[in-house]
Short mmCIF file of all heavy atoms in Angstrom, two decimals:
data_model
loop_
_atom_site.label_atom_id
_atom_site.label_comp_id
_atom_site.label_asym_id
_atom_site.label_seq_id
_atom_site.Cartn_x
_atom_site.Cartn_y
_atom_site.Cartn_z
N GLU A 1 0.06 13.85 0.32
CA GLU A 1 1.47 14.14 0.48
C GLU A 1 2.32 13.52 -0.60
O GLU A 1 3.18 14.17 -1.19
CB GLU A 1 1.95 13.66 1.86
CG GLU A 1 3.38 14.05 2.19
CD GLU A 1 3.79 13.67 3.58
OE1 GLU A 1 2.92 13.28 4.39
OE2 GLU A 1 4.99 13.72 3.89
N THR A 2 2.05 12.23 -0.89
CA THR A 2 2.77 11.56 -1.98
C THR A 2 1.75 10.69 -2.75
O THR A 2 0.64 10.48 -2.29
CB THR A 2 3.90 10.65 -1.49
OG1 THR A 2 3.35 9.46 -0.90
CG2 THR A 2 4.79 11.36 -0.50
N SER A 3 2.18 10.19 -3.91
CA SER A 3 1.33 9.30 -4.72
C SER A 3 1.54 7.83 -4.36
O SER A 3 0.93 6.94 -4.98
CB SER A 3 1.63 9.53 -6.20
OG SER A 3 1.29 10.84 -6.59
N VAL A 4 2.40 7.56 -3.42
CA VAL A 4 2.73 6.16 -3.05
C VAL A 4 1.52 5.52 -2.40
O VAL A 4 0.84 6.09 -1.54
CB VAL A 4 3.93 6.13 -2.10
CG1 VAL A 4 4.14 4.74 -1.54
CG2 VAL A 4 5.17 6.63 -2.82
N ASN A 5 1.24 4.28 -2.83
CA ASN A 5 0.23 3.46 -2.18
C ASN A 5 0.75 2.01 -2.08
O ASN A 5 1.90 1.76 -2.48
CB ASN A 5 -1.14 3.50 -2.89
CG ASN A 5 -1.02 3.07 -4.35
OD1 ASN A 5 -0.28 2.14 -4.70
ND2 ASN A 5 -1.75 3.76 -5.22
N ARG A 6 -0.06 1.10 -1.64
CA ARG A 6 0.42 -0.25 -1.42
C ARG A 6 0.77 -0.99 -2.72
O ARG A 6 1.47 -2.03 -2.68
CB ARG A 6 -0.60 -1.09 -0.62
CG ARG A 6 -1.89 -1.38 -1.32
CD ARG A 6 -2.81 -2.18 -0.39
NE ARG A 6 -4.02 -2.65 -1.04
CZ ARG A 6 -5.13 -1.97 -1.17
NH1 ARG A 6 -5.19 -0.74 -0.71
NH2 ARG A 6 -6.18 -2.49 -1.75
N PHE A 7 0.37 -0.47 -3.86
CA PHE A 7 0.65 -1.10 -5.15
C PHE A 7 1.88 -0.51 -5.80
O PHE A 7 2.32 -0.99 -6.85
CB PHE A 7 -0.55 -0.97 -6.10
CG PHE A 7 -1.82 -1.55 -5.56
CD1 PHE A 7 -2.87 -0.72 -5.21
CD2 PHE A 7 -1.96 -2.90 -5.37
CE1 PHE A 7 -4.05 -1.23 -4.70
CE2 PHE A 7 -3.15 -3.43 -4.87
CZ PHE A 7 -4.18 -2.59 -4.54
N THR A 8 2.46 0.51 -5.20
CA THR A 8 3.63 1.17 -5.81
C THR A 8 4.88 0.27 -5.71
O THR A 8 5.23 -0.17 -4.62
CB THR A 8 3.89 2.50 -5.13
OG1 THR A 8 2.75 3.31 -5.14
CG2 THR A 8 5.03 3.27 -5.80
N PRO A 9 5.55 0.01 -6.82
CA PRO A 9 6.76 -0.81 -6.77
C PRO A 9 7.83 -0.17 -5.89
O PRO A 9 7.88 1.08 -5.80
CB PRO A 9 7.25 -0.88 -8.26
CG PRO A 9 6.03 -0.53 -9.04
CD PRO A 9 5.19 0.37 -8.20
N ARG A 10 8.67 -0.99 -5.24
CA ARG A 10 9.63 -0.49 -4.30
C ARG A 10 10.59 0.51 -4.97
O ARG A 10 10.94 1.54 -4.37
CB ARG A 10 10.45 -1.65 -3.69
CG ARG A 10 11.51 -1.18 -2.69
CD ARG A 10 12.25 -2.39 -2.11
NE ARG A 10 11.33 -3.22 -1.33
CZ ARG A 10 10.97 -2.99 -0.07
NH1 ARG A 10 11.46 -1.91 0.54
NH2 ARG A 10 10.18 -3.78 0.56
N ALA A 11 11.00 0.22 -6.22
CA ALA A 11 11.95 1.10 -6.89
C ALA A 11 11.35 2.48 -7.08
O ALA A 11 12.03 3.50 -6.92
CB ALA A 11 12.37 0.49 -8.22
N THR A 12 10.09 2.54 -7.45
CA THR A 12 9.39 3.84 -7.62
C THR A 12 9.17 4.51 -6.31
O THR A 12 9.30 5.72 -6.17
CB THR A 12 8.06 3.60 -8.34
OG1 THR A 12 8.29 2.90 -9.60
CG2 THR A 12 7.37 4.92 -8.65
N ARG A 13 8.83 3.67 -5.28
CA ARG A 13 8.54 4.21 -3.94
C ARG A 13 9.77 4.97 -3.40
O ARG A 13 9.63 6.01 -2.76
CB ARG A 13 8.21 3.06 -3.02
CG ARG A 13 7.68 3.45 -1.66
CD ARG A 13 7.49 2.15 -0.84
NE ARG A 13 6.58 1.26 -1.47
CZ ARG A 13 5.32 1.05 -1.07
NH1 ARG A 13 4.86 1.72 -0.01
NH2 ARG A 13 4.54 0.18 -1.69
N ASP A 14 10.95 4.46 -3.67
CA ASP A 14 12.18 5.08 -3.13
C ASP A 14 12.46 6.43 -3.79
O ASP A 14 13.19 7.25 -3.21
CB ASP A 14 13.37 4.14 -3.35
CG ASP A 14 13.25 2.89 -2.50
OD1 ASP A 14 12.50 2.92 -1.50
OD2 ASP A 14 13.92 1.88 -2.83
N ARG A 15 11.89 6.67 -4.98
CA ARG A 15 12.16 7.93 -5.67
C ARG A 15 10.95 8.89 -5.59
O ARG A 15 10.88 9.87 -6.30
CB ARG A 15 12.40 7.66 -7.17
CG ARG A 15 13.63 6.81 -7.45
CD ARG A 15 14.03 6.87 -8.92
NE ARG A 15 12.92 6.50 -9.79
CZ ARG A 15 12.65 5.27 -10.18
NH1 ARG A 15 13.41 4.26 -9.79
NH2 ARG A 15 11.65 5.01 -11.00
N ALA A 16 10.04 8.60 -4.71
CA ALA A 16 8.79 9.36 -4.62
C ALA A 16 9.04 10.83 -4.27
O ALA A 16 9.89 11.14 -3.44
CB ALA A 16 7.86 8.74 -3.60
N ARG A 17 8.33 11.68 -4.94
CA ARG A 17 8.36 13.14 -4.66
C ARG A 17 7.00 13.52 -4.09
O ARG A 17 6.04 12.77 -4.13
CB ARG A 17 8.56 13.91 -5.98
CG ARG A 17 9.88 13.64 -6.65
CD ARG A 17 9.93 14.43 -7.99
NE ARG A 17 8.99 13.88 -8.96
CZ ARG A 17 8.60 14.49 -10.08
NH1 ARG A 17 9.01 15.73 -10.31
NH2 ARG A 17 7.77 13.94 -10.94
N PRO A 18 6.88 14.78 -3.58
CA PRO A 18 5.57 15.24 -3.18
C PRO A 18 4.61 15.20 -4.35
O PRO A 18 4.98 15.54 -5.46
CB PRO A 18 5.83 16.71 -2.69
CG PRO A 18 7.27 16.71 -2.32
CD PRO A 18 7.94 15.72 -3.26
N GLN A 19 3.35 14.80 -4.09
CA GLN A 19 2.39 14.72 -5.19
C GLN A 19 2.17 16.08 -5.87
O GLN A 19 2.04 16.11 -7.09
CB GLN A 19 1.06 14.20 -4.64
CG GLN A 19 0.07 13.84 -5.74
CD GLN A 19 -1.18 13.13 -5.20
OE1 GLN A 19 -2.09 13.80 -4.71
NE2 GLN A 19 -1.21 11.82 -5.27
N ILE A 20 2.21 17.14 -5.11
CA ILE A 20 2.01 18.47 -5.71
C ILE A 20 3.14 18.77 -6.70
O ILE A 20 2.92 19.38 -7.74
CB ILE A 20 1.95 19.57 -4.62
CG1 ILE A 20 1.70 20.93 -5.20
CG2 ILE A 20 3.21 19.61 -3.77
CD1 ILE A 20 0.38 21.10 -5.87
N ASP A 21 4.37 18.31 -6.41
CA ASP A 21 5.47 18.53 -7.32
C ASP A 21 5.27 17.76 -8.61
O ASP A 21 5.57 18.28 -9.71
CB ASP A 21 6.79 18.10 -6.65
CG ASP A 21 8.01 18.41 -7.47
OD1 ASP A 21 8.13 19.58 -7.85
OD2 ASP A 21 8.82 17.54 -7.73
N GLU A 22 4.78 16.52 -8.51
CA GLU A 22 4.52 15.71 -9.71
C GLU A 22 3.50 16.38 -10.61
O GLU A 22 3.66 16.44 -11.84
CB GLU A 22 4.04 14.30 -9.31
CG GLU A 22 5.06 13.48 -8.54
CD GLU A 22 4.44 12.26 -7.90
OE1 GLU A 22 3.20 12.09 -8.01
OE2 GLU A 22 5.20 11.51 -7.26
N LEU A 23 2.45 16.93 -10.01
CA LEU A 23 1.37 17.53 -10.79
C LEU A 23 1.82 18.83 -11.47
O LEU A 23 1.51 19.05 -12.64
CB LEU A 23 0.17 17.78 -9.90
CG LEU A 23 -0.49 16.54 -9.29
CD1 LEU A 23 -1.54 16.93 -8.23
CD2 LEU A 23 -1.11 15.67 -10.36
N ILE A 24 2.57 19.61 -10.74
CA ILE A 24 3.07 20.90 -11.32
C ILE A 24 4.05 20.58 -12.45
O ILE A 24 4.07 21.25 -13.51
CB ILE A 24 3.71 21.78 -10.27
CG1 ILE A 24 2.65 22.35 -9.35
CG2 ILE A 24 4.55 22.90 -10.90
CD1 ILE A 24 3.17 23.19 -8.20
N ALA A 25 4.90 19.56 -12.27
CA ALA A 25 5.89 19.23 -13.27
C ALA A 25 5.30 18.67 -14.56
O ALA A 25 5.90 18.79 -15.63
CB ALA A 25 6.90 18.24 -12.68
N ALA A 26 4.11 18.10 -14.49
CA ALA A 26 3.57 17.33 -15.62
C ALA A 26 3.06 18.20 -16.75
O ALA A 26 2.89 17.70 -17.90
CB ALA A 26 2.40 16.44 -15.13
N ALA A 27 2.84 19.50 -16.53
CA ALA A 27 2.25 20.34 -17.60
C ALA A 27 2.82 21.73 -17.61
O ALA A 27 3.32 22.22 -16.57
CB ALA A 27 0.72 20.40 -17.41
N ARG A 28 2.76 22.38 -18.75
CA ARG A 28 3.20 23.77 -18.86
C ARG A 28 2.28 24.70 -18.06
O ARG A 28 2.70 25.71 -17.53
CB ARG A 28 3.25 24.19 -20.32
CG ARG A 28 4.38 23.58 -21.12
CD ARG A 28 4.39 24.13 -22.53
NE ARG A 28 5.59 23.65 -23.24
CZ ARG A 28 6.76 24.27 -23.21
NH1 ARG A 28 6.88 25.39 -22.52
NH2 ARG A 28 7.78 23.81 -23.87
N VAL A 29 0.97 24.32 -18.03
CA VAL A 29 0.01 25.12 -17.24
C VAL A 29 -0.79 24.14 -16.37
O VAL A 29 -1.81 23.60 -16.80
CB VAL A 29 -0.93 25.94 -18.16
CG1 VAL A 29 -1.89 26.76 -17.30
CG2 VAL A 29 -0.16 26.81 -19.10
N PRO A 30 -0.36 23.89 -15.14
CA PRO A 30 -1.16 23.13 -14.22
C PRO A 30 -2.26 24.01 -13.61
O PRO A 30 -1.99 25.18 -13.24
CB PRO A 30 -0.19 22.65 -13.13
CG PRO A 30 1.06 23.43 -13.33
CD PRO A 30 0.97 24.24 -14.59
N VAL A 31 -3.47 23.48 -13.54
CA VAL A 31 -4.64 24.23 -13.04
C VAL A 31 -5.22 23.48 -11.85
O VAL A 31 -5.54 22.29 -11.95
CB VAL A 31 -5.72 24.39 -14.11
CG1 VAL A 31 -6.90 25.23 -13.59
CG2 VAL A 31 -5.12 25.07 -15.38
N PHE A 32 -5.38 24.16 -10.73
CA PHE A 32 -5.88 23.52 -9.51
C PHE A 32 -7.21 24.19 -9.11
O PHE A 32 -7.27 25.43 -8.96
CB PHE A 32 -4.88 23.66 -8.34
CG PHE A 32 -3.54 23.01 -8.66
CD1 PHE A 32 -2.51 23.73 -9.25
CD2 PHE A 32 -3.34 21.68 -8.33
CE1 PHE A 32 -1.30 23.13 -9.53
CE2 PHE A 32 -2.12 21.07 -8.61
CZ PHE A 32 -1.09 21.78 -9.21
N LEU A 33 -8.24 23.38 -8.90
CA LEU A 33 -9.56 23.87 -8.49
C LEU A 33 -9.91 23.21 -7.17
O LEU A 33 -9.91 21.97 -7.09
CB LEU A 33 -10.62 23.59 -9.54
CG LEU A 33 -10.28 24.16 -10.97
CD1 LEU A 33 -9.79 23.00 -11.88
CD2 LEU A 33 -11.47 24.83 -11.56
N LEU A 34 -10.20 24.01 -6.12
CA LEU A 34 -10.34 23.40 -4.81
C LEU A 34 -11.27 24.18 -3.89
O LEU A 34 -11.60 25.33 -4.14
CB LEU A 34 -8.95 23.31 -4.15
CG LEU A 34 -8.17 24.60 -3.97
CD1 LEU A 34 -8.45 25.22 -2.61
CD2 LEU A 34 -6.65 24.37 -4.12
#
């Protein structure tokens, strides 16, 4: 659901987005194999 874990800084944790959104945003062509 999110990339947050126990090591995530509080400031980053508060701005967390869905993990799928982060992955799609990171590249011009995101490729998912599942």
Side-chain angles (χ1 to χ4, degrees):
E1 186 175 349
T2 75
S3 298
V4 171
N5 58 38
R6 67 180 187 275
F7 303 111
T8 305
R10 181 178 296 277
T12 304
R13 189 185 301 256
D14 292 340
R15 299 194 305 271
R17 296 177 291 164
Q19 191 173 80
I20 182 66
D21 186 52
E22 296 167 358
L23 297 172
I24 288 177
R28 287 183 173 273
V29 182
V31 181
F32 299 91
L33 304 104
L34 58 92

